[in-house]
Amino acid sequence: MEFPILSAVTFIPLAGAILILLIKSLTGSQVRSDGSEDDRVLYVGLLFSLATFVVSIVMFLSFDTQGTGYQLVEEVDWFANVKYKMGVDGMSVLLILLTTLLTPIALIASIGSVKHRLTEYTVAFLVLETFMIGVFCALDLVVFYVFFEAGLVPMFIVIGVWGGVDRIYASFKFFLYTLLGSLFMLAAVVYMYLVAGTSDVVVLEQYEFAKSAQIWLWLAFFSSFAVKLPMWPVHTWLPDAHVQAPTAGSVILAAVLLKMGGYGFLRFNLPMFPDASLFFQPFVFTVSVIAIVYASLVAWRQTDMKKLIAYSSVAHMGFVTLGIFSFTEIGVQGAIFQMLSHGLISGALFLIVGVVYDRMHTREISAYGGLVHRMPVYATFFMLFTMANVGLPGTSGFVGEILTMVGAFQANTWAAAGAALGVIFSAVYMLTLYRRTVFGKITNPDLETIEDVNMKELICLIPLAIGTILLGILPNLIFDITRESSLHALAQMAGG
Amino acid sequence: MFDLEAILNTVAPELLLAAAGLLGVTIGAFLGDRFNSISFKFGAVVLLIAAALAGNYWEGGRAFDGLVETTSFANFAKVVSFVSGAIALLMAEGFLKRHDTMRYEYPLLIIFAALGMGVILSSANFMTLYLGVETLSLSSYVLASFHRDSPRSAEAGLKYFVLGALASGILLYGISLVYGFSGSTSYEVVADTEASLGFMFGMVLMITGLAFKVSAAPMHVWTPDVYEGSPSPVVAFFATAPKMASMAVFAIVMFTAFPQAIAFDNWQMIIGIIAAASMLIGAFGALPQTNLKRLLGYSSIANMGYALVAIAAGIQYGAGSLLIFMTAYVIASLGLFGGVLSMRREGGMVENIDELAGLIRRQPGLATALTVLLVSVSGFPLAFGFLGKLAVLEAGWNAGLMPLIITLVLSSVIAMYYYLRIVKIMWFDDQVADFEPVDGWVTSTVYVTAIVSVALLIFVSPFSELAASAAASLLS
């Protein structure tokens, strides 16, 4: 039997978490002489997440980018006809890499800024990483569901323990909103298992459900992924969760957790329910365009930096659904690209906000202004990611937006036109944010002594900056890998 | 005819329990208080041997001219009931010792209650059923008021007794009607009777009586009060062993005595409504609770609702699911009541949920284990309870019970809120003082049930096959 590299990538963080718990239960929590908690545990966690990153690189290298179908498949019987089945294609490989890259970055960003209950914090992030990777590896619906839902618990705890003032409300809203959608998916999974006799994704992709059943199944899966993505009008948990979550929590939430929704559409809704997907295309287009325009307008009026970026995420996820449901290769390619690119950019933007929040302890835009005078390096990075979020050519944001719009244009001109409006709005709100925080004179006296980004923050931001520019200039790096998965996702559509 | 082998095959555990119970009473009469401390170990050992006997005579049999009949399905329920009864008994020892009520009557009452459970599970005749139900109930009433000096405990016992006696009366009246219209009290004969209106009346009254025993809505009102008032270890027992046994008996009676098409259509609808009502009342009723025992009482009502969905699905789809679901529930409940028993501060027990605040800082192991158990009982992935809920959903789909599935989904989300609230209090709130250490049985039960809940999620395969074969035994 081959070395189960996918399980290794998935469970290394969990092993690390268990090890940390064991060691800590033996030594007890150590408090330094100045009353702060010993933060070595964060470095241990970082070590494990870096190890995961290295193993995921090995996994990527052993993945044949030209191959078709699922690779590195592992199969073990679980119960009845349900198997523990793991496997990846181009799309999931890249999303796993995104996850394993951002978790260490999130942990580095936490050093110094998170000050209490560090053991639980580290453990929560490592456990979360396991579940996130598991979601992208799972090739059995029940296994997928377990990972998909399980991720809620660590995120619930991250928001609830280390979050802001209203953290309890936000964590409950996050959890229950997502759970409601997911339970309908669970009911659908059970139904599919009973009808098709298996929950194996590969088999179910070939299985043809009756059209009337497809409609309901599609809706059940949609209710889960639409909340996760999130799509208008079920997006309202996201701004709350983002604003209350600690910086690292926001980074993971925006960069990885939201992608599970788009991933779910491509992996399940399109190949398994092609007729229903076609049937609902106008609906999804409408909702997506409303999301893009409405969320952009709402973002414009925000006074809280994190909330602004959260709404911008809703708008950008609108492009993803637009691309996916254009049912064109270019649109789907663009949607996958947009997911990866948004993972880098939104992660970076939340880090950017975290940098000044750690120093000033406020996210109010009006409290800032003139940062460029004190923080030139910060202003440079902020500019780069602002432009990437707007979709400036040369950055990854541009490629994703243009391709999803081209795809949507082929399917529906009006939808593409509406989405284009969103691109303009994104420039409006992002540039407004940038102008009000970075340019102008320093009006807030507290800002007189603010310091520029330090080494730790540079380590977090530089990889994301490189990724954003590299993908902007050489998008084919991604397209070559995701081509097979996009064609695969559309294969049933064309056939039907 | 006296066929010893058939008798052993069928009721070996019950014979042991009856003999051991009577022996215990005799020893107690001579030794008096000197028997108190050893009697708990005695009771636990007897229950474990009874479970082993049930496992040993797994295939079961038929005896006493068809008054009793044991299937693998019944034996499955017996093993789970007896083992959980033994664990609940061991957990009780320390608690009762601290309250100066450690008396040998306690384990003996548990043994007699277990005897009642065994008899109902082996019943193939309404007379056996009724005798078993009464044995179980009478022991339970006394257990509920075991702290006779405490007004709350006495009140709980009295409430339980008055309502329970009423329910037994209704059950008996139902039996008499069914007997009147079918001419027999044997399940076999009743099953072949043509269902007339009076017969249906009897069946409905029987459902009412049985629903009381499993605390399903609308016969649930005793549950929160009895859970809150009775001594905690007694509740730990109530919530586990009798629930498993009564639910399995509910299934056996419905599946084997009323399988006729017309009766099935009728009781499927009635049980479906009871299930939906239980799920919703359990979910909404628990929301405002501040007393942990009361909250768990409502939680058990909701969980009984889920289990009833499996019964409503009918014998073919529901029997195996019921066993998996109930086992998952019993395991999680044992651990959660271990948690309740761990809440001791300044010499007294505390029951308010807020007392758990910040537990993760003081006793991270206990808090983590309780979180796992809450996750399991809520049916969230990550623990065995998820597979239980999955099995129930599967049964519901197979039987086409769409409205019940939707109710199940909605009430699960509502229920999640109050389970999460406990998690939130343990993890997010500022800590209050430490709990005083409790005896090892309680602590180890919490940890072991948590570990078993996770382990069974991963290595469920042999277990689910066993449940499926046990369910198949009911079909033949």
Side-chain angles (χ1 to χ4, degrees):
Chain A
M1 193 180 133
E2 278 181 64
F3 179 70
I5 190 145
L6 288 182
S7 295
V9 179
T10 309
F11 289 106
I12 288 175
L14 186 67
I18 293 171
L19 197 71
I20 288 175
L21 276 179
L22 285 180
I23 293 172
K24 273 290 166 181
S25 65
L26 292 179
T27 59
S29 79
Q30 278 145 21
V31 180
R32 291 214 205 91
S33 50
D34 60 354
S36 64
E37 261 183 78
D38 187 357
D39 64 356
R40 277 179 301 182
V41 64
L42 262 179
Y43 291 93
V44 179
L46 180 61
L47 200 67
F48 274 99
S49 64
L50 284 173
T52 315
F53 182 60
V54 172
V55 179
S56 71
I57 297 275
V58 176
M59 173 206 71
F60 179 66
L61 294 177
S62 52
F63 178 83
D64 173 15
T65 53
Q66 302 307 315
T68 55
Y70 297 102
Q71 301 180 30
L72 310 173
V73 174
E74 302 163 17
E75 242 182 279
V76 184
D77 282 340
W78 190 10
F79 63 93
N81 278 338
V82 179
K83 295 191 197 76
Y84 167 81
K85 186 171 180 183
M86 307 284 256
V88 285
D89 64 356
M91 168 173 62
S92 36
V93 157
L94 291 171
L95 286 167
I96 292 168
L97 281 179
L98 182 72
T99 312
T100 53
L101 171 69
L102 277 157
T103 307
I105 289 181
L107 283 173
I108 295 174
S110 311
I111 296 170
S113 67
V114 174
K115 294 195 172 58
H116 66 296
R117 301 168 77 168
L118 291 170
T119 311
E120 291 97 324
Y121 186 83
T122 316
V123 168
F125 269 92
L126 289 177
V127 171
L128 183 61
E129 184 177 14
T130 285
F131 294 149
M132 292 187 298
I133 299 172
V135 163
F136 297 128
C137 291
L139 278 189
D140 184 284
L141 273 177
V142 179
V143 178
F144 171 83
Y145 181 81
V146 168
F147 282 124
F148 187 78
E149 284 286 75
L152 293 180
V153 175
M155 201 64 206
F156 171 75
I157 289 171
V158 166
I159 298 176
V161 177
W162 298 276
V165 183
D166 279 332
R167 57 184 189 274
I168 308 289
Y169 170 76
S171 58
F172 270 78
K173 193 170 177 182
F174 162 73
F175 196 106
L176 295 176
Y177 239 97
T178 323
L179 182 71
L180 180 63
S182 304
L183 278 172
F184 284 112
M185 178 170 80
L186 178 64
V189 167
V190 173
Y191 174 82
M192 290 162 73
Y193 174 75
L194 292 172
V195 171
T198 179
S199 51
D200 188 325
V201 171
V202 183
V203 180
L204 287 171
E205 279 172 354
Q206 305 301 324
Y207 191 90
E208 287 181 18
F209 290 97
K211 190 172 177 195
S212 53
Q214 277 194 24
I215 300 282
W216 291 105
L217 295 172
W218 190 94
L219 280 173
F221 276 75
F222 179 79
S223 71
S224 177
F225 299 139
V227 171
K228 201 85 177 180
L229 195 61
M231 290 177 78
W232 180 89
V234 285
H235 64 280
T236 59
W237 63 270
L238 184 77
D240 284 312
H242 265 317
V243 170
Q244 300 304 329
T247 301
S250 293
V251 170
I252 294 292
L253 191 60
V256 185
L257 288 182
L258 304 191
K259 307 303 171 290
M260 291 178 185
Y263 174 80
F265 282 138
L266 282 171
R267 176 69 82 237
F268 305 113
N269 283 47
L270 257 55
M272 294 182 191
F273 321 123
D275 299 336
S277 297
L278 263 178
F279 177 77
F280 282 110
Q281 185 189 35
F283 165 68
V284 176
F285 271 10
T286 315
V287 177
S288 303
V289 172
I290 294 177
I292 294 173
V293 175
Y294 170 80
S296 301
L297 288 175
V298 176
W300 191 1
R301 299 314 306 160
Q302 294 307 313
T303 56
D304 182 307
M305 295 161 89
K306 266 185 154 180
K307 224 169 194 162
L308 188 148
I309 300 169
Y311 277 108
S312 133
S313 288
V314 178
H316 282 93
M317 288 300 109
F319 284 102
V320 172
T321 42
L322 211 56
I324 292 174
F325 283 86
S326 71
F327 307 134
T328 55
E329 188 198 338
I330 197 166
V332 173
Q333 287 268 44
I336 301 175
F337 193 92
Q338 173 79 346
M339 289 201 282
L340 296 166
S341 137
H342 180 260
L344 299 174
I345 297 169
S346 69
L349 282 171
F350 279 113
L351 286 171
I352 293 271
V353 175
V355 168
V356 285
Y357 180 76
D358 280 349
R359 291 164 172 69
M360 300 288 295
H361 300 287
T362 176
R363 290 181 301 261
E364 286 298 313
I365 297 172
S366 54
Y368 296 95
L371 285 176
V372 67
H373 303 298
R374 292 282 313 164
M375 310 172 76
V377 183
Y378 176 79
T380 314
F381 275 105
F382 199 170
M383 178 56 116
L384 170 69
F385 292 116
T386 300
M387 287 307 158
N389 206 33
V390 171
L392 190 79
T395 63
S396 62
F398 170 72
V399 185
E401 283 182 7
I402 193 80
L403 286 188
T404 49
M405 278 196 293
V406 170
F409 191 86
Q410 292 175 3
N412 186 323
T413 320
W414 290 106
L421 212 57
V423 180
I424 301 170
F425 286 136
S426 76
V428 174
Y429 62 75
M430 281 315 291
L431 291 178
T432 312
L433 170 71
Y434 191 76
R435 180 181 61 78
R436 290 175 63 191
T437 50
V438 176
F439 291 146
K441 287 204 173 63
I442 296 184
T443 48
N444 185 343
D446 295 343
L447 289 175
E448 299 285 357
T449 53
I450 197 166
E451 283 174 21
D452 208 344
V453 284
N454 56 30
M455 196 44 127
K456 175 199 93 179
E457 287 149 357
L458 275 179
I459 294 175
C460 294
L461 289 171
I462 286 174
L464 299 177
I466 294 175
T468 309
I469 295 173
L470 188 70
L471 295 191
I473 298 171
L474 297 170
N476 272 340
L477 288 178
I478 300 294
F479 292 143
D480 288 344
I481 302 172
T482 57
R483 178 161 298 117
E484 281 306 325
S485 355
S486 354
L487 290 175
H488 182 73
L490 292 171
Q492 298 296 321
M493 308 287 311
Chain B
M1 206 180 85
F2 191 77
D3 184 351
L4 185 65
E5 199 189 331
I7 292 174
L8 276 184
N9 277 336
T10 317
V11 288
E14 289 70 37
L15 292 177
L16 172 80
L17 287 168
L22 294 174
L23 180 70
V25 173
T26 318
I27 299 177
F30 281 97
L31 289 182
D33 286 344
R34 277 172 296 166
F35 186 43
N36 286 351
S37 59
I38 193 75
S39 62
F40 282 76
K41 308 282 187 293
F42 170 76
V45 168
V46 167
L47 285 168
L48 289 176
I49 296 176
L53 280 176
N56 188 39
Y57 297 106
W58 185 252
E59 296 302 327
R62 203 176 155 83
F64 300 117
D65 292 330
L67 275 176
V68 288
E69 181 180 0
T70 308
T71 53
S72 313
F73 183 87
N75 273 328
F76 192 108
K78 278 186 194 176
V79 171
V80 176
S81 304
F82 295 161
V83 170
S84 56
I87 295 172
L89 181 58
L90 289 171
M91 286 204 294
E93 195 180 340
F95 177 94
L96 295 173
K97 190 182 276 174
R98 284 192 300 273
H99 289 80
D100 289 325
T101 47
M102 196 173 97
R103 301 184 51 84
Y104 67 84
E105 285 90 343
Y106 187 90
L108 297 182
L109 284 166
I110 299 253
I111 289 180
F112 284 121
L115 171 63
M117 293 182 231
V119 170
I120 50 176
L121 283 166
S122 288
S123 67
N125 188 300
F126 289 138
M127 294 329 292
T128 331
L129 174 74
Y130 185 73
L131 290 176
V133 165
E134 283 305 281
T135 314
L136 169 59
S137 302
L138 285 172
S139 315
S140 304
Y141 305 145
V142 184
L143 281 170
S145 49
F146 200 76
H147 274 181
R148 53 188 174 183
D149 296 336
S150 144
R152 283 171 68 203
S153 179
E155 182 194 332
L158 189 65
K159 269 184 188 162
Y160 195 14
F161 173 67
V162 172
L163 292 171
L166 181 68
S168 292
I170 295 175
L171 177 68
L172 195 58
Y173 187 42
I175 290 174
S176 74
L177 276 176
V178 172
Y179 170 65
F181 282 89
S182 62
S184 171
T185 50
S186 153
Y187 293 179
E188 251 178 1
V189 181
V190 171
D192 290 332
T193 309
E194 196 181 331
S196 59
L197 185 63
F199 181 88
M200 287 296 168
F201 247 93
M203 184 186 79
V204 171
L205 290 173
M206 285 193 66
I207 292 177
T208 313
L210 289 171
F212 177 88
K213 300 297 171 197
V214 298
S215 71
M219 275 64 74
H220 66 282
V221 277
W222 60 277
T223 316
D225 289 344
V226 171
Y227 271 49
E228 187 182 355
S230 304
S232 300
V234 177
V235 190
F237 174 72
F238 283 170
T240 52
K243 282 275 174 349
M244 176 79 207
S246 311
M247 196 48 95
V249 168
F250 206 153
I252 291 174
V253 170
M254 298 324 290
F255 293 159
T256 57
F258 301 108
Q260 311 94 316
I262 174 164
F264 174 70
D265 287 346
N266 281 301
W267 68 250
Q268 182 179 41
M269 188 187 67
I270 296 171
I271 289 189
I273 291 170
I274 292 179
S278 304
M279 290 190 273
L280 293 174
I281 287 175
F284 283 108
L287 286 179
Q289 302 306 330
T290 52
N291 181 302
L292 185 56
K293 279 160 75 181
R294 229 181 146 77
L295 186 143
L296 289 174
Y298 278 105
S299 147
S300 87
I301 297 172
N303 275 288
M304 290 310 108
Y306 305 141
L308 286 170
V309 174
I311 296 187
I315 182 166
Q316 195 184 348
Y317 307 124
S321 311
L322 183 74
L323 291 180
I324 296 179
F325 179 84
M326 285 306 293
T327 311
Y329 170 73
V330 164
I331 293 173
S333 284
L334 271 178
L336 285 174
F337 277 99
V340 173
L341 287 167
S342 309
M343 295 168 66
R344 206 166 72 88
R345 188 167 287 150
E346 286 159 16
M349 301 300 293
V350 288
E351 292 170 359
N352 202 304
I353 301 172
D354 290 337
E355 302 284 349
L356 288 167
L359 189 66
I360 188 72
R361 301 298 287 159
R362 290 289 178 164
Q363 282 146 293
L366 181 65
T368 312
L370 287 178
T371 308
V372 170
L373 292 164
L374 286 167
V375 162
S376 184
V377 83
S378 67
F380 194 78
L382 289 183
F384 187 37
F386 167 64
L387 296 180
K389 203 165 259 184
L390 198 67
V392 169
L393 269 178
E394 190 182 332
W397 266 122
N398 265 324
L401 303 169
M402 199 56 200
L404 284 185
I405 289 175
I406 292 174
T407 319
L408 195 157
V409 166
L410 292 177
S411 71
S412 295
V413 177
I414 299 162
M416 199 65 204
Y417 172 79
Y418 57 77
Y419 296 125
L420 269 188
R421 193 159 58 101
I422 306 177
V423 175
K424 171 227 148 195
I425 287 168
M426 286 196 295
W427 285 73
F428 303 171
D429 286 5
D430 291 331
Q431 64 206 48
V432 288
D434 268 9
F435 290 132
E436 286 167 28
V438 288
D439 51 311
W441 285 113
V442 173
T443 320
S444 44
T445 303
V446 177
Y447 289 128
V448 169
T449 49
I451 291 168
V452 168
S453 292
V454 175
L456 272 178
L457 173 76
I458 302 166
F459 306 106
V460 68
S461 194
F463 180 83
S464 61
E465 276 160 29
L466 191 69
S469 76
S473 78
L474 206 56
L475 270 168
S476 54

